[in-house]
Structure formats: structure tokens, C-alpha cells
Amino acid sequence: MPGVVGRLLVEYEQTLSTNNLVREFGEAGEPEGIAVTAHRQTAGRGRRGSHWFTPESGSLCVSVLLRPRHWGGRMTLLPLLVALSAAEAVEALCPSVAVTLKWPNDLMVAGRKLGGVLCESFGRDRTLFVVAGLGLNGNFTAFDFPREIRKESVTLQDCVGGPVELQSLLECTLRRLDLNYEKAGRGHLDGLLENLRTRMPMLGGTVEIETGGRVLTGTAEALLGNGELAVHTPEGRRITVVSGHVRRYTESL
Amino acid sequence: MNLSEIKELVTLMNDNDLLELEVEDGDQKVRLRKLYEGVREKIVAIPSAPIAAISAGAVAPAAAAPEGGTVAAEGAQKKIPAPMVGTFYRAPSPDSPPYVEVGDVVTKDTVLCLVEAMKVMNEIKTECEGTITEVLVENGKAVEFGQAMFVVALG
């Protein structure tokens, strides 16, 4: 039943990391759906501890407690569902902005990164919980970024030419995630996968992926049922990638 | 503002049918909101004792994993299998020390490594007690489902 994600939203003025706070909720056995956001996050993290740059304020950072106990292999869809929900929310509020997804966890606008998702899972079976964290570049400009990431980054303010109502965007994202999470939990994946595929311009194009210490090049053939990427190599092999960083891709759409 | 303080505020919200509550405590400001009207937020901590019992019992599914997932009998060792396909990481971040080294004494709640699949970082615990005798996978390399990652001398 919907009404889970965002049942309680805790807003901090400032915190070290919203993911760490939600982890505490998870370890204390709290029910799923609690979301924690902060106007300023001073120790936000990207994937594997890489520092997620957030300026003084103006970013949207939220972490959600989820308990996908009966999901099994579908759990790998979570980062994509969070990214999809945020993309849908951005477009609902800023209709002029077209958001695409870069497999498996980035939100992009015109080839530049708007935000990303980091999920962490803890425990197993009945104690299993996931902390799903989302970071979006909001009301500042890419000129505020350090030089080395400026060219690859974009903010909502850059996209629409003025500040965006981040509060509404956050609520809308949580409501979208509530619906998408509920659908996926019931195994109703067809519509979700179709929505994901249409937002992934890399499908059908050429990709270069760092995976398990090597680099794989080929055609991104398909997004599979649990969110894996099927890559067709020039040698004619079809490889299912579940873990990797896409270094480069060409769009086919 | 810690968890128990938040819980107190949630109780206050429930008792008074509030959808929103803002609290300022010194220089700290926290706002609590419910997105869905009529949803009574239940903050009920699951008692910790059953959880411990369950996670101890959770060693069994690991034994069901293929290739190396079985509890080896020789010298009372246990191989810790990867619970999923993914990338193996020995430390929480590239500039942190590894969670464990060979020779470390581990308990069932010791975190051994992360296995990343689809940007979900999965924290893997020992689920047995003993000493790490071998690390079988190199940091950053791919692991298959059930592939042995560590050897633990039990006891």
C-alpha cells in the first residue's frame, strides 16, 4: 500500500551525512519509509567514499530507509528506481528540463551530471535494510564547483535559469519513489523498466565500462530485469554487467 | 538531535494529530513532517534480542551457496562466500584501511568487506567467530555468487 516512503520526513538544518543518520534509524529497527534531509550536508559521500561536493547550501540531499525484505535479486533495481523517481519529479516541476539516466545511478541533463544515488545495504534476511541516498545539484551554479568537475556538472538553477523550489521537489521525489517502490515490491516491473529504458540514451550506443578492475567496451544492448546492463562486445560475446563505472558512452536515441 | 529525541517528538505529533513540527534547540533546528495525512507514524523499535537470534541463524543460507560456500570441515575453517555477484572492496573508502587483515580475530558482527552491485554497497559480516587466515580476493576485483572471499579459522 502506498504511503510508506516519506511517512516521516526529518529535516535538519545541517548534518554530517543523511545516509549515516538513516542507518541509525535502520539499526534501531525503525519501520521503512523514514526520510532524512538536510539543508547543508558537511560530509556527504558519493560512491565508495568519494566526496560528494555540496556547496554551502542549495543542494537537495535526502536519504530514505527501505526494507526490501522479499525483493531478492530485484534489490539491485533500487538505485535506478530512486534515480527514476527524482527524474520524474524534476520534470514535473521543471517541464523544460529533460532528465536522462546514466547507468546505473546518475541523473544527467544534456550529458552533464545533475545528481546521483548511493545505496547501502546492511544486515540480511529479517534484519536487512537499505539506506537509499540521493543528491541533486539545486540552487547554485556549476561555476561554484571545483574546476575539475565543473565541465561535467550541471545544476537545476543552470537548467531553468533561476532558483527552484527544492522543498516541493523533495516531496514530489518521495511521492514518486513511494509509488515506484510499491510497484516494484509487488513485482510489477514492466512499466518501470520501460520508463527506465526510455530515459537511458546509452542503450544501443557504445559504452566503455570499468568493471572488476578491467575495462570493457561494447554496445550497451539492453537493460535487464534486475537493472543489469547487457553489453555486446566486438568479439561477439554478451556480458551482463552488474557492477561498473561507465567512463564514456555515445547516445543512440 | 538523536534518535530517542526524535522518537519523543514523533509521539508528541501522534498524540496531538500534528502533521508538522519544528523544534529549535540552541543552534540546531529540526522539522518533522508527515507527507501522507492520516498515516500514524509508528516508531516502534523491534526488540533487539530476536534480531541477534535471527542473524546468528542466517549462517545457514550461506552454506547453501555453491562453490566454496560450503562450510569446510578440515581444520574447522569456514570460507566466507560472496552473497551476490559484484565488486569486492576491502575498505569503506579508497583512503581508509581495510576492514580486516589476515590474523585479525573476528566475531559474527565484524564487517569484512563491501560487495557492490548496481551501486548498492552491501556490507558483509563474518557471521561466525574465529581468525582470518586468508583473503582470497583482491580489492576492486569482481566476485561471483558464492565465490569464497575469506577463510576464517573457527574458534
Side-chain angles (χ1 to χ4, degrees):
Chain A
M1 205 191 301
V4 171
V5 175
R7 52 160 46 165
L8 181 69
L9 174 60
V10 184
E11 269 179 68
Y12 285 86
E13 194 60 34
Q14 181 173 330
T15 184
L16 290 170
S17 153
T18 53
N19 259 32
N20 286 356
L21 284 167
V22 171
R23 180 180 178 174
E24 283 182 37
F25 280 105
E27 280 167 352
E30 300 298 344
E32 64 177 347
I34 294 174
V36 175
T37 183
H39 297 161
R40 279 195 302 278
Q41 189 178 227
T42 47
R45 283 168 303 142
R47 182 183 172 234
R48 289 251 319 129
S50 63
H51 186 73
W52 170 258
F53 175 80
T54 47
E56 191 56 10
S57 63
S59 297
L60 189 156
C61 329
V62 64
S63 302
V64 183
L65 176 64
L66 300 172
R67 297 189 181 274
R69 271 180 204 142
H70 306 293
W71 283 43
R74 259 179 288 155
M75 217 176 85
T76 46
L77 273 172
L78 278 178
L80 288 169
L81 293 184
V82 176
L84 173 68
S85 306
E88 290 172 343
V90 167
E91 290 184 355
L93 265 78
C94 319
S96 62
V97 182
V99 184
T100 60
L101 302 179
K102 178 183 161 194
W103 186 90
N105 69 330
D106 285 337
L107 287 100
M108 313 291 288
V109 174
R112 290 173 173 217
K113 182 165 167 170
L114 178 69
V117 176
L118 175 80
C119 293
E120 298 174 278
S121 91
F122 303 94
R124 50 194 283 176
D125 303 326
R126 270 197 60 194
T127 62
L128 171 79
F129 69 91
V130 173
V131 178
L134 166 75
L136 280 187
N137 302 325
N139 290 333
F140 55 98
T141 125
F143 284 108
D144 295 336
F145 277 114
R147 181 183 293 274
E148 61 274 19
I149 55 171
R150 195 180 294 164
K151 266 208 253 166
E152 293 119 51
S153 307
V154 71
T155 71
L156 280 172
Q157 185 179 307
D158 291 337
C159 293
V160 298
V164 170
E165 184 49 67
L166 292 182
Q167 192 63 55
S168 313
L169 181 62
L170 171 63
E171 279 182 32
C172 189
T173 300
L174 293 173
R175 286 172 198 276
R176 295 303 314 188
L177 180 60
D178 188 46
L179 295 174
N180 290 332
Y181 179 68
E182 195 256 351
K183 267 190 218 162
R186 282 191 292 132
H188 293 192
L189 298 180
D190 292 355
L192 290 173
L193 287 168
E194 202 40 49
N195 286 345
L196 286 168
R197 288 177 185 126
T198 54
R199 282 187 189 274
M200 281 196 184
M202 73 165 61
L203 291 177
T206 305
V207 288
E208 193 181 296
I209 305 179
E210 268 178 66
T211 171
R214 66 198 173 115
V215 177
L216 180 70
T217 308
T219 306
E221 210 173 49
L223 182 74
L224 305 179
N226 288 335
E228 316 94 317
L229 191 67
V231 177
H232 199 90
T233 68
E235 302 80 47
R237 289 200 302 150
R238 191 181 197 241
I239 297 174
T240 302
V241 186
V242 295
S243 170
H245 169 67
V246 177
R247 295 209 302 200
R248 258 195 284 276
Y249 65 97
T250 60
E251 304 193 353
S252 74
L253 300 181
Chain B
M1 187 149 310
N2 63 32
L3 198 61
S4 62
E5 287 169 310
I6 300 236
K7 280 185 186 183
E8 278 176 37
L9 294 176
V10 170
T11 310
L12 189 69
M13 286 173 88
N14 284 341
D15 291 350
N16 296 283
D17 285 323
L18 302 176
L19 286 176
E20 190 169 328
L21 184 67
E22 196 170 308
V23 177
E24 265 190 78
D25 178 14
D27 53 355
Q28 239 192 1
K29 197 159 89 179
V30 174
R31 187 151 70 121
L32 300 179
R33 278 196 300 150
K34 296 176 185 176
L35 246 54
Y36 311 101
E37 258 179 83
V39 176
R40 277 187 76 83
E41 177 57 34
K42 267 194 259 162
I43 291 242
V44 189
I46 298 169
S48 56
I51 293 179
I54 290 155
S55 63
V59 181
E67 292 289 311
T70 46
V71 180
E74 11 110 24
Q77 285 190 336
K78 191 190 169 195
K79 290 178 178 171
I80 311 291
M84 67 202 73
V85 178
T87 304
F88 172 86
Y89 292 111
R90 288 191 59 191
S93 69
D95 43 9
S96 320
Y99 287 110
V100 289
E101 298 279 11
V102 168
D104 282 3
V105 174
V106 291
T107 63
K108 61 184 171 55
D109 282 330
T110 306
V111 176
L112 292 178
C113 62
L114 296 174
V115 176
E116 182 261 354
M118 297 288 300
K119 303 292 152 93
V120 182
M121 312 299 306
N122 300 280
E123 193 184 81
I124 311 300
K125 291 185 176 176
T126 323
E127 297 184 356
C128 63
E129 294 189 353
T131 307
I132 303 280
T133 55
E134 263 184 278
V135 182
L136 301 169
V137 186
E138 209 182 305
N139 185 54
K141 289 283 180 324
V143 286
E144 293 298 324
F145 172 70
Q147 183 182 340
M149 303 184 294
F150 295 88
V151 182
V152 177
L154 297 175

